[in-house]
């Protein structure tokens, strides 16, 4: 297909597609003349991914390119590549302090859950910040709540991982998009489950 | 305690405490002279809540006042009050379109989960947007994923509701802060559960 059809198919203005081409987020089409090229379904899929990364996921074009470089060249150590790819996602982790143990709350929580973790993984700092904010507001996460949330997170992660494609390029794309795009779904479902549970409890009390 | 001690206790500059007093987010202290007043632990707790709402929760001062007004006067219908309070939280819901069924994906999902819901509740629009973004990126939420996430959300909601204080003022404060402050904890735990599950899977495969 021509550029105009590609843009229409991806739901983007032609100027935006040209910009992604120049920035290297989209691979070139097959040249059919000095100034013309044709594009295929692979270009459409790639543009949908770029659109998601810079749209709902909220990455900058530079961050999107970092992710796409990892999708294109996952390298030999897929586990490290997945960690780096997820590490580009918001929220940006605060840099660790000078303390010898910069993430005391997160470490204690993950030890209580019996989980393996890499302290360099951005989500450790993210968990530390979230636990500190809850404690500061007078609603610290106690052992029972941690166990309840941790168990739910483990169930979700087992499902997510069971769907991860074996092929490395697809695995990186799935991990980044699935991590980021399914988070808002999960949060909305939690709020709606609160409402459902509250309605049922009020009905019982009446 | 004096204003300066109150500010220190709440971890806020004196100027910020005075601003919250003027804006009505904090109730006045007990006057001890023409220009002096004393404050108590109730003021400290209130300031911690205000700080959380305008800090990690990300509300504007105006939105925080809306929430605090509901905490102060929960009214007779607690269920409606909780819904309004949670509705002030980010993300802001997009206004519904002109369509007769503005939330087709969310409606189908909630029906599949067998959940009671109020279509006016902001989380319905939030779920619709999240489901649409995932589908647009080529990773639609299928029935199995919905069931897995819905089941985890239901478990979390049951725990959250089991801890809700019976006293209405406290119930509103708990619901708003617990909804917002525990969301980042849950998302960080999911990312860390992914990492734990991936490490365990790789260890089995080696």
């Amino acid at each position: 297909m021509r550029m105009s059809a590609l843009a229409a198919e991806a739901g983007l203005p032609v100027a935006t597609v040209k910009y992604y081409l120049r920035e290297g987020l989209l691979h070139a089409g097959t040249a059919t003349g000095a100034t013309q090229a044709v594009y295929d379904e692979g270009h459409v899929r790639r543009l949908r991914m770029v659109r998601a990364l810079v749209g709902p996921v909220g990455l900058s074009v530079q961050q999107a390119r970092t992710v796409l470089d990892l999708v294109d060249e996952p390298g030999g150590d897929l586990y490290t590549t997945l960690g780096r790819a997820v590490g580009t996602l918001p929220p940006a982790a605060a840099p660790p302090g000078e303390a010898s143990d910069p993430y005391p709350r997160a470490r204690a929580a993950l030890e209580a859950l019996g989980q393996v973790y890499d302290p360099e993984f951005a989500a450790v700092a993210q968990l530390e910040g979230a636990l500190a904010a809850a404690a500061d507001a007078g609603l610290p996460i106690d052992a029972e709540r941690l166990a309840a949330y941790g168990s739910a997170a483990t169930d979700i992660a087992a499902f997510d991982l069971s769907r991860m494609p074996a092929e490395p390029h697809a695995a990186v794309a799935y991990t980044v998009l699935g991590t980021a795009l399914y988070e808002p779904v999960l949060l909305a479902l939690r709020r709606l489950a609160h409402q459902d549970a509250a309605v049922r409890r009020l009905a019982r009390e009446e």
Side-chain angles (χ1 to χ4, degrees), chain A residues 26-38:
Chain A
L26 181 70
H27 47 295
T30 307
T32 56
T35 59
Q36 291 214 311
V38 290

Side-chain angles (χ1 to χ4, degrees), chain A residues 19-20 23 25 50 54 59-68:
Chain A
Y19 172 62
Y20 292 158
E23 292 292 319
L25 276 69
V50 174
V54 302
L59 299 189
S60 66
V61 166
Q62 179 54 48
Q63 290 169 320
R65 186 155 50 188
T66 301
V67 168
L68 292 166

